[in-house]
Every structure is written in structure tokens, then in C-alpha cells.
Amino acid sequence: MNSVLKQTVTVDTAVTPDTSGFNLEAVFRDSHVADVLEQLDAELIGLTPVKSRIRDICALLLVDTLRRQAGLSTGAPSLHMSFTGNPGTGKTTVALRMAEILHRLGYVRKGHMVAVTRDDLVGQYIGHTAPKTREVLKRAMGGVLFIDEAYYLYRPENERDYGQEAIEILLQEMENHRDDLVVILAGYEDRMERFFRSNPGLSSRIAHHVAFPDYTPDELLAIAELMLQQMQYTLSTDAQAALREYIERRQTQPHFANARSIRNALDRARLRQASRLFGKRDQTIDKSDLMTLVAADIRASRVFAETAKNGELPT
């Protein structure tokens, strides 16, 4: 099961087809893909449409495995993907789990993920881009190459830019090694749409477009509580109400990055808690004090100020 054949199988129509049954549940169980899907559910709150799409891709690959076992004609499926959405919506985490799924189903040899940006692929002078791009591709072979903010590869306004050279090498390798390399391009939805319109050859090689929605306030609060649980912190009742209000206010302000912004907010709340506890260091502090964030640790944020200074980012 874990070694899926890559070559096309030609069916001999003169041979009577195998009408024996195939156990899809057994194939699914033996692949241990369920473990990865469960981990994805545990790691990421919400994202129901994304998780549904990942399960659909798993179903396609599992059925494709049975088709091979049945001797049906099938070629290596195109698995290159596009992940679009705002920052902090889980794109990198899903790409990492996708690499594990593809490995367990036998579609890539190693199941690792190499995450890069434009700077890792594009050189500064003539002759610099090709070796950089090929080195990244060499590291990614057998797994997933995740290119964040992929639209920065294409800069038509700069005639001396070498991003197009990197794109051409990617196109070649995506086709030549489609049985051992999956490329996932990620970024803001509107910018990725323009990027694909400007690079139809690249767009035609992307089989799966997955949109990552922003989190709701309830989901962000659940994400915050999960993060705190992992760090062995807890919120007082008043702090929980304050954090909910913080989230609702922060979502309307510039540069909001979903779960990433929530993590930053919790780090600053922990900083304020530490300063508060240090201020009463002459008193006895118990374990509950060390673990609990109170409302004041949240409401000290500038997000709660009635007015903010021009150009100042909320904290």
C-alpha cells in the first residue's frame, strides 16, 4: 500500500476484468492517513472547507490506489496546489500535513516540506538564479516545496528582475518530476489571481486551488485558549471577556494576521503578567498566580485606547 506505482497501466481489453471486491476501508486504515487528518483537526480550529478539501484529495488518491490494484488505466495525478488566504490562516501547517499524507499514500518518497520565499529562489545577478532555484528543488525532491508569497516571483515592472527565470525552471521541474515533487504556491487571494493570469503555464499545472477563510471571533478565542493550554496558562473569567473584546476590536484594525496576531497578543499579555507579578515580588505567589492571565493583562493593550497615534500599530 505504501508503495504506489507511478507508471501508466494499460488495460488489455481482451482480458476479463477483475470483478472481485476491493476494501477501501482497509486501504485507508493501512495508510494511517487518518492519524494525520486527526492531527490536523487537533492543530487547527475551524477551517471546515479547507479540511473538507484535503479529505476530498485523500479520497481521490485512495480510490486511485484501488484503480491501480484493479489494473485500470491511470497516470500519475497532478497534485500541485495553490493555497490562498490572509496571513495566519494555517496555510503552512496544512502544507506540512499534506506532505505527510502524500508520503503515507506513496506519492512522494520522503514526505518532508521545504518552505521558501522569493529570496531563496531568485538571484541578484545574471547566472545566480538558476543554481539557487535548482538547489532548492533538489532539497525538496521527494516531498513538498511550499513557496510563500509566490506572486513576488513575477515583477514585470522590473526589466532586470530574474524571477521569470526561476518560474521557468519551476515549470520544467513540476512537469518532469510530478511523480516525486509537489509544489504548493501560497499567498493573498487577489495577488495570486493576478500572478496566475500573468503566468498561464504555471496556472495550468495547478490542479487544486484551496481557499483559506479568515477565522471568526469565536474561532480566534478558541485558538487563543488552545495556545494558552499548550503553554500551561489560563484566563480568568474577566480576562476571557476582555480577550473576546480585544479580538473583535483588533480584527477591524490594519495588519491583522488571524492566529498570528492572536499569538502575538498572548505573548504581550504574558509579558504584562510577568511585570505585574514582579511588582508584588515581596508577596507570596502561588502556582495559580503563575498560570493565570487577568483582565488587566489584556486590557493594557493599545487596542483598547479610544484613539491611537497616527501610524502606530496596535499591540
Side-chain angles (χ1 to χ4, degrees):
M1 166 55 218
N2 290 330
S3 178
V4 177
L5 299 178
K6 305 300 193 302
Q7 71 269 22
T8 299
V9 179
T10 303
V11 178
D12 184 355
T13 56
V15 177
T16 302
D18 185 354
T19 58
S20 61
F22 293 90
N23 191 331
L24 187 56
E25 173 59 29
V27 174
F28 180 57
R29 183 180 61 249
D30 293 344
S31 71
H32 300 290
V33 165
D35 297 338
V36 184
L37 295 175
E38 289 174 5
Q39 185 177 5
L40 195 60
D41 277 333
E43 287 177 321
L44 295 176
I45 302 294
L47 294 181
T48 300
V50 173
K51 293 174 182 177
S52 177
R53 187 62 182 277
I54 298 304
R55 289 189 178 93
D56 288 345
I57 294 172
C58 288
L60 172 67
L61 300 181
L62 286 164
V63 170
D64 192 53
T65 298
L66 289 188
R67 287 178 57 85
R68 287 189 171 93
Q69 292 179 5
L72 295 172
S73 178
T74 181
S78 178
L79 294 170
H80 303 306
M81 305 178 191
S82 168
F83 287 179
T84 56
N86 290 324
T89 49
K91 296 185 292 295
T92 304
T93 299
V94 173
L96 187 62
R97 298 298 162 237
M98 197 70 234
E100 292 185 48
I101 289 170
L102 294 172
H103 176 56
R104 294 191 183 204
L105 291 175
Y107 282 88
V108 292
R109 287 177 293 114
K110 300 178 182 178
H112 66 302
M113 184 185 81
V114 175
V116 299
T117 62
R118 171 192 163 89
D119 290 343
D120 299 296
L121 298 168
V122 181
Q124 302 294 320
Y125 49 84
I126 294 176
H128 191 206
T129 295
K132 285 188 71 171
T133 302
R134 294 192 187 283
E135 176 58 31
V136 167
L137 287 164
K138 181 180 178 181
R139 287 193 285 119
M141 282 296 167
V144 167
L145 175 61
F146 180 80
I147 307 177
D148 200 12
E149 298 182 316
Y151 37 75
Y152 284 132
L153 290 175
Y154 184 67
R155 291 181 174 174
E157 72 281 359
N158 185 352
E159 294 180 357
R160 301 183 63 182
D161 185 71
Y162 303 111
Q164 188 60 40
E165 182 181 0
I167 292 173
E168 291 171 0
I169 295 172
L170 279 171
L171 284 170
Q172 181 181 6
E173 297 303 304
M174 287 168 69
E175 187 63 28
N176 293 346
H177 297 280
R178 59 186 297 182
D179 60 345
D180 199 34
L181 174 69
V182 171
V183 175
I184 300 178
L185 306 176
Y188 289 106
E189 183 175 5
D190 56 343
R191 297 185 187 183
M192 290 299 291
E193 287 178 357
R194 289 196 296 270
F195 175 64
F196 285 133
R197 285 198 301 269
S198 301
N199 296 272
L202 194 56
S203 178
S204 66
R205 285 171 173 77
I206 301 298
H208 305 281
H209 293 262
V210 184
F212 285 66
D214 288 332
Y215 291 107
T216 66
D218 285 343
E219 288 171 342
L220 289 169
L221 182 60
I223 287 169
E225 292 175 334
L226 179 60
M227 290 177 177
L228 289 171
Q229 179 183 349
Q230 291 170 344
M231 295 185 289
Q232 294 188 303
Y233 280 85
T234 187
L235 294 167
S236 69
T237 302
D238 290 344
Q240 186 180 54
L243 183 57
R244 176 180 289 277
E245 185 179 347
Y246 171 93
I247 290 169
E248 293 172 350
R249 291 179 179 229
R250 183 67 183 89
Q251 278 187 300
T252 66
Q253 296 178 340
H255 310 292
F256 180 68
N258 287 280
R260 196 176 304 167
S261 290
I262 297 305
R263 179 174 292 280
N264 291 340
L266 295 179
D267 285 343
R268 289 186 287 265
R270 291 171 55 219
L271 186 67
R272 297 184 192 110
Q273 183 230 34
S275 180
R276 174 172 56 81
L277 294 178
F278 186 73
K280 55 180 184 180
R281 58 189 177 276
D282 57 335
Q283 305 175 26
T284 300
I285 297 174
D286 60 25
K287 185 176 180 180
S288 177
D289 293 324
L290 295 172
M291 296 178 63
T292 306
L293 299 179
V294 301
D297 300 327
I298 307 295
R299 293 190 178 278
S301 167
R302 288 199 301 271
V303 167
F304 289 96
E306 292 183 359
T307 58
K309 297 179 182 178
N310 291 335
E312 185 176 48
L313 294 179
T315 62

